[in-house]
Amino acid sequence: MNPSLLLTALCLGIASAAPEFDHSLNTQWELWKAVHRRLYDLNEEGWRKEVWKKNMKMIELHNQEYSEGKYSFSMAMNAFGDMTNEEFRQVMNGFQRQKNKKRKVSQETIFASIPLSVDWREKGYVTPVKDQGKCGSCWAFSTTGALEGQMFRKTGKLVSLSEQNLVDCSQPEGNHGCQGGLTDNAFQYVLDVGGLDSEESYPYTGLAGTCHYNPNNSAANVTGFVDLPKQEKALMKAVATLGPISAAIDASNPSFQFYKSGIYYEPKCSSESVDHAVLVVGYGFEGAHSDDNKYWLVKNSWGERWGMNGYIKMAKDRNNHCGIATMISYPTV
Ligand SMILES: *[C@@H]1O[C@H](CO)[C@@H](O)[C@H](O)[C@H]1NC(C)=O
Ligand SMILES: *[C@@H]1O[C@H](CO)[C@@H](O)[C@H](O)[C@H]1NC(C)=O
């Protein structure tokens, strides 16, 4: 066969396939809008569609390279598809960066003989994945997650706790409702008022409102909280022996925005500049036990459709990747 003929045929093939591709992208866009109930005016629709397309192409390229073995995790289109990375960071990552805030770190010695893998979900310590919506309240979800676990450890009963109570009421402790906050401030709030309402009695709205804490509906107490040293070993020991632990991470990258599955490792991640609070509910490894397949099992608060049914596996023991051990704490009950 004449090689130049073959080339022509292939080029023609590409040329005629291009509009087809765009057509299917349009169909996917219409479908995505319907699923996520987006209504825009004509002006906004134009640029939102461009943002969505850019994200879609980035995800497809990443997954192509993932299938070639270049990454340890895959990505997927999700509810954040029409948000630029800037918008996403503003809305979703409400963990305050308080670099100068003094933390009294507990200095416990670390001893050996802790298991190679832990998953507190299997022991009943963890409530279903929740959804913070478009409110920078991640810190409240990390707080309730850690407290739900410690209350279960104490009482044997798993009661879902109210993030809205924390969003509405913990301003005096230094939190800012949907504009961000710190888990330690939230633990301090529960300590100050002597309780925290149940999720059922004080449901989540995703909007900062008036505080209506009712001690009659309190389902938790704390006696204090502990800040752990900035070491993955300290986190491992705490997770292994106590239950789910609050942590903060750098969640600012598009790869996190559209994470789907696998062990998340992002070279652009910072170990210092953390902007999103989460809950570490376990750790483990995939395949044979080696240094680049260990992960932290992390509960997020972006609903079950994000990531692995709402969870993410984050690289473990790789120099505090994404700052997983930078701000770790738990309440004492
Ligand atoms: C709490 O319960 C007590 C006793 O039933 C009642 O008198 C009180 O009004 C309740 N407090 C609130 C804030 O609902
Ligand atoms: C919290 O502590 C107070 C005071 O000790 C107590 O009256 C209350 O029953 C406790 N609440 C829970 C949910 O344990």
Side-chain angles (χ1 to χ4, degrees), residues 2-312:
N2 184 335
S4 72
L5 252 181
L6 181 69
L7 205 63
T8 317
L10 282 174
C11 289
L12 279 175
I14 289 160
S16 67
E20 186 80 33
F21 176 69
D22 234 41
H23 175 74
S24 101
L25 209 55
N26 281 333
T27 314
Q28 287 181 61
W29 164 245
E30 293 302 327
L31 198 66
W32 183 90
K33 275 194 302 175
V35 167
H36 298 283
R37 299 201 187 91
R38 293 296 203 281
L39 291 168
Y40 312 104
D41 61 38
L42 232 66
N43 191 14
E44 191 182 4
E45 166 120 19
W47 68 265
R48 285 286 173 201
K49 186 173 171 181
E50 285 315 304
V51 169
W52 182 90
K53 270 191 190 176
K54 220 176 127 195
N55 284 331
M56 195 68 184
K57 283 178 179 164
M58 174 189 65
I59 292 163
E60 280 171 353
L61 180 65
H62 175 97
N63 287 345
Q64 176 62 39
E65 294 181 343
Y66 165 73
S67 70
E68 291 159 9
K70 286 189 193 161
Y71 299 103
S72 55
F73 67 98
S74 66
M75 286 164 64
M77 179 47 76
N78 58 29
F80 308 129
D82 63 347
M83 289 167 99
T84 64
N85 188 241
E86 258 80 69
E87 279 182 292
F88 165 76
R89 283 147 83 156
Q90 262 180 8
V91 176
M92 300 310 292
N93 303 337
F95 193 75
Q96 288 171 4
R97 299 161 205 234
Q98 289 191 342
K99 292 216 176 80
N100 47 7
K101 184 158 174 136
K102 279 205 205 83
R103 301 171 83 237
K104 261 208 332 229
V105 165
S106 104
Q107 295 293 351
E108 272 183 272
T109 46
I110 291 148
F111 32 88
S113 98
I114 48 178
L116 286 178
S117 64
V118 168
D119 184 348
W120 288 112
R121 295 176 301 184
E122 293 165 358
K123 310 274 189 234
Y125 278 60
V126 186
T127 57
V129 168
K130 304 180 187 184
D131 192 346
Q132 68 186 76
K134 285 192 176 180
C135 166
S137 53
C138 56
W139 55 273
F141 288 83
S142 175
T143 302
T144 54
L147 191 48
E148 285 161 359
Q150 291 309 300
M151 288 304 294
F152 178 82
R153 184 183 163 80
K154 185 182 174 182
T155 66
K157 280 190 211 124
L158 184 67
V159 181
S160 188
L161 298 172
S162 173
E163 295 77 26
Q164 197 63 42
N165 188 169
L166 297 171
V167 168
D168 294 347
C169 309
S170 66
Q171 278 81 356
E173 283 74 19
N175 287 331
H176 302 283
C178 285
Q179 260 74 54
L182 289 173
T183 41
D184 278 1
N185 292 345
F187 292 140
Q188 185 64 52
Y189 164 79
V190 183
L191 190 60
D192 288 348
V193 303
L196 183 65
D197 282 351
S198 66
E199 187 85 70
E200 198 186 3
S201 69
Y202 201 149
Y204 191 68
T205 64
L207 301 165
T210 327
C211 178
H212 53 276
Y213 167 71
N214 182 342
N216 291 352
N217 299 326
S218 172
N221 268 330
V222 309
T223 56
F225 53 93
V226 177
D227 288 334
L228 292 163
K230 231 167 105 172
Q231 298 158 4
E232 287 185 273
K233 274 187 176 166
L235 179 57
M236 187 170 174
K237 188 195 165 203
V239 172
T241 59
L242 297 169
I245 301 291
S246 287
I249 54 171
D250 174 9
S252 64
N253 289 290
S255 55
F256 196 94
Q257 186 175 350
F258 297 108
Y259 166 83
K260 183 60 195 166
S261 66
I263 299 178
Y264 183 72
Y265 183 85
E266 169 57 75
K268 291 199 206 87
C269 239
S270 164
S271 294
E272 290 302 320
S273 183
V274 292
D275 64 355
H276 185 50
V278 289
L279 186 71
V280 182
V281 304
Y283 58 84
F285 57 94
E286 284 182 347
H289 190 248
S290 83
D291 261 356
D292 54 7
N293 61 15
K294 289 190 270 180
Y295 60 82
W296 295 108
L297 185 59
V298 173
K299 186 189 188 190
N300 199 358
S301 49
W302 295 347
E304 286 184 352
R305 283 195 286 191
W306 180 88
M308 302 173 81
N309 298 315
Y311 285 81
I312 179 170

